[in-house]
Amino acid sequence: MIKSITGTKDILPEDIQRWNFLESIVEKVFASFNYKEIRTPVFEETALFARGIGEATDIVGKEMYTFIDRSETSITLKPEMTASVVRAFVEHSLGTKQPLNKLFYISPMFRQERPQAGRFRQFHQFGAEAIGSNSPLLDAEMIQMAFDIFKLLGLKDVSVKINSLGVPESREKYKELLRNYLFDKKDNLSEDSRMRFEKNILRIFDSKIECDREIMKNAPLLIDYLDEESKNDFEIVKEALTRGNIPFEIDPKLVRGLDYYTKTTFEIVSEKVGSQSALCGGGRYDLLIEQLGGKPTPGVGFAAGIERILLACENEKAFSIPESSIDLYITRLDKELEKFVYDIASYFRRENFIVEIDYLDRSVKAQMREANKLGSRYVLFAGGEEFQNGLLNLKNMADGIQKTFDKNNLEEIKNYLKK
RNA sequence: GUGAGCGUAGCUCAGUUGGUUAGAGCACCAGGUUGUGGCCCUGGGGGUCGUGGGUUCAAUUCCCAUCGCUCACCCCA
């Protein structure tokens, strides 16, 4: 038997209503903040992600689905959306059409990692990007939108974490400080963290290893060494969140794994989804557009993982989807009535009723069982003496009461059903 | 990439200290009313016991390999 590729999942009819519900809320919230949807191709030239996300990141280093196509071009299935959105922004000169572009997306992403709870090789994200303003109110807006979406879904057990990475100059100065702090303690760090010391020193803060944590406990924090501008912006973000009644905590150790972040970064996490607890993450990327060949333009955005959010919703019983049901099931007695039943079903379907009939030539009893299983409000019977006499019986499945109608006057039945 | 656990019916799982035709519940189908649902009753279909090899008179059960799933590490949504 051929099975789906490792780390990919079918979304079956029994699951799809949860997805549709989530997507409808996402679209509603983004619309209320005046974000416009953008769709980009699922694959891009590999160089876009290598340059946009950063060569040194894990995503680029070991997680991308990259292949050479028939024209010898290196192609990569998108592992995240920001680089693609920025590419489209630059390619279509969106910045010249209006100074601020507010964009959102809902899209599959691809990363070749070992699957585990809340992690897949094809997964789905929704997210937003606001390109063209350095206002920290937009940073707050991102968090606000994500938080609103979670709230509308009924999620309660989530927490917002924010941090500021400052601008590159202040960050470099701080990194020097951190290097000095760690220099004589280096040998006591874990092997991974010694690697990070060379490659990306900030990420030593991410380590879950006890000896690293012990050492980092007294390390200087970036947030205490921010430049004035970053510090002010961070204050504005915090104040806006407070006014918006969004509880948050400052996490000076929140260092995100993508290279393009500047100033504000944030995550919203849930304890209800296993060890992959980040439901959404984002931040400001004021240098990325330039780096990808555009004019210097500030930007900020976030991405949220749909599978993880649905998992959190399930574990929290955040919302429930009502059982689906149909309006009318039309049964028949004899096979000769098949075409008649098909035609009157078409009539009611055109009148916007949800209608089902039997295609398996089953007994009336089996048809009734089916109607019941489908939660049909009414059943219309075709067959036997009444039919010979030009009549149809309509049964209300809730109370079992039957009414008789003229089979040539479907409009009368329609009007009755509409009540 | 590393580590651990698990693979028996569509689903959830029993079972075999190696021994005749491998079970249950749910789901599905049919019948109980030769034209009518939900409850109930009766019956039925469906399994190469993940795959390949080994040990044995005999393997679903023991051993090895392999594939898959799950969880965790790394990192992230």
Side-chain angles (χ1 to χ4, degrees):
Chain A
M1 181 178 50
I2 297 177
K3 297 206 273 191
S4 70
I5 301 287
T6 297
T8 67
K9 285 267 184 293
D10 297 309
I11 302 164
L12 299 173
E14 64 196 49
D15 314 317
I16 202 71
Q17 296 201 71
R18 297 170 54 74
W19 282 72
N20 288 337
F21 177 67
L22 179 143
E23 285 170 21
S24 71
I25 284 176
V26 167
E27 284 165 7
K28 195 173 97 186
V29 170
F30 283 145
S32 71
F33 283 82
N34 193 33
Y35 282 69
K36 306 294 186 196
E37 185 172 5
I38 182 167
R39 299 188 190 188
T40 67
V42 284
F43 49 41
E44 299 272 359
E45 235 177 85
T46 302
L48 172 65
F49 301 118
R51 276 204 281 155
I53 301 169
E55 299 277 4
T57 61
D58 279 10
I59 292 180
V60 173
K62 57 184 198 191
E63 296 169 7
M64 294 205 301
Y65 270 103
T66 297
F67 59 96
I68 306 295
D69 75 1
R70 287 170 203 273
S71 59
E72 304 287 300
T73 308
S74 181
I75 301 288
T76 294
L77 269 35
K78 59 185 174 192
E80 61 110 43
M81 194 65 173
T82 304
S84 295
V85 171
V86 169
R87 195 223 77 232
F89 172 88
V90 173
E91 181 171 338
H92 302 286
S93 303
L94 296 184
T96 66
K97 292 169 185 162
Q98 50 186 336
L100 175 61
N101 281 267
K102 294 169 65 164
L103 304 164
F104 84 91
Y105 57 83
I106 302 175
S107 173
M109 305 292 164
F110 307 85
R111 293 182 201 172
Q112 189 164 176
E113 302 177 84
R114 273 284 183 79
Q116 70 185 76
R119 169 185 288 165
F120 307 94
R121 289 188 175 179
Q122 177 176 169
F123 59 102
H124 298 77
Q125 292 184 332
F126 64 81
E129 315 288 351
I131 305 174
S133 163
N134 56 20
S135 168
L137 287 178
L138 282 170
D139 306 13
E141 185 165 297
M142 292 295 158
I143 299 169
Q144 176 86 248
M145 290 191 293
F147 192 79
D148 285 0
I149 288 167
F150 294 158
K151 225 162 86 181
L152 285 170
L153 285 170
L155 280 176
K156 293 188 175 70
D157 200 5
V158 296
S159 43
V160 178
K161 297 178 172 183
I162 60 171
N163 190 22
S164 177
L165 299 178
V167 298
E169 298 83 65
S170 62
R171 205 188 321 176
E172 280 313 315
K173 266 191 228 161
Y174 163 76
K175 276 188 189 171
E176 197 49 48
L177 210 70
L178 188 59
R179 257 190 289 269
N180 289 337
Y181 168 80
L182 285 173
F183 193 77
D184 57 333
K185 304 173 182 65
K186 217 168 35 173
D187 294 341
N188 296 324
L189 288 172
S190 68
E191 197 183 325
D192 279 352
S193 288
R194 278 194 301 256
M195 289 256 295
R196 294 187 183 115
F197 184 87
E198 307 298 337
K199 246 173 56 183
N200 189 342
I201 195 163
L202 292 180
R203 260 194 261 161
I204 300 178
F205 282 114
D206 267 348
S207 179
K208 289 169 191 165
I209 298 164
E210 195 47 48
C211 61
D212 292 346
R213 297 203 146 189
E214 193 57 37
I215 291 169
M216 297 313 281
K217 226 163 59 181
N218 298 315
L221 292 172
L222 174 52
I223 200 145
D224 299 323
Y225 295 87
L226 290 178
D227 53 285
E228 280 307 306
E229 189 183 277
S230 297
K231 213 185 289 181
N232 288 338
D233 285 359
F234 197 48
E235 285 306 312
I236 293 170
V237 173
K238 287 191 285 187
E239 285 163 18
L241 293 179
T242 303
R243 290 197 307 278
N245 286 321
I246 297 175
F248 64 90
E249 52 191 276
I250 296 162
D251 182 357
K253 297 182 168 65
L254 178 63
V255 179
R256 299 187 47 74
L258 289 77
D259 282 357
Y260 52 60
Y261 287 118
T262 55
K263 294 185 177 171
T264 311
T265 60
F266 65 92
E267 269 184 16
I268 300 180
V269 300
S270 164
E271 296 308 314
K272 298 281 168 68
V273 293
S275 78
Q276 304 305 316
S277 59
L279 299 186
C280 103
R284 183 159 276 285
Y285 46 86
D286 288 344
L287 302 168
L288 178 64
I289 287 96
E290 204 178 340
Q291 203 177 307
L292 289 175
K295 287 198 196 116
T297 312
V300 60
F302 81 96
I306 296 180
E307 283 85 352
R308 283 184 193 175
I309 292 166
L310 288 177
L311 182 62
C313 287
E314 203 178 319
N315 293 342
E316 277 196 37
K317 297 200 191 329
F319 66 85
S320 57
I321 300 290
E323 294 251 333
S324 72
S325 61
I326 67 170
D327 299 312
L328 181 64
Y329 191 98
I330 309 173
T331 67
R332 60 177 169 76
L333 195 51
D334 313 299
K335 192 162 171 65
E336 299 83 70
L337 292 172
E338 205 171 41
K339 288 170 187 160
F340 170 78
V341 162
Y342 178 84
D343 291 344
I344 59 172
S346 298
Y347 168 83
F348 287 111
R349 285 164 175 163
R350 274 188 228 111
E351 296 292 338
N352 293 322
F353 292 104
I354 304 172
V355 183
E356 191 55 286
I357 61 176
D358 173 68
Y359 300 92
L360 301 172
D361 200 21
R362 291 191 283 189
S363 66
V364 172
K365 184 193 186 96
Q367 294 179 57
M368 280 304 291
R369 282 186 174 150
E370 183 70 12
N372 187 59
K373 204 168 67 183
L374 294 172
S376 192
R377 290 165 54 223
Y378 289 93
V379 169
L380 194 60
F381 295 91
E385 256 178 61
E386 303 96 301
F387 189 77
Q388 299 299 326
N389 297 329
L391 300 172
L392 296 170
N393 280 333
L394 183 72
K395 181 170 185 170
N396 181 326
M397 293 294 275
D399 56 24
I401 293 168
Q402 290 196 182
K403 270 187 164 359
T404 303
F405 291 88
D406 182 340
K407 79 175 160 88
N408 295 315
N409 193 353
L410 296 180
E411 205 181 332
E412 200 188 344
I413 301 177
K414 177 193 86 182
N415 290 332
Y416 184 79
L417 290 177
K418 274 192 175 153
K419 284 191 297 191

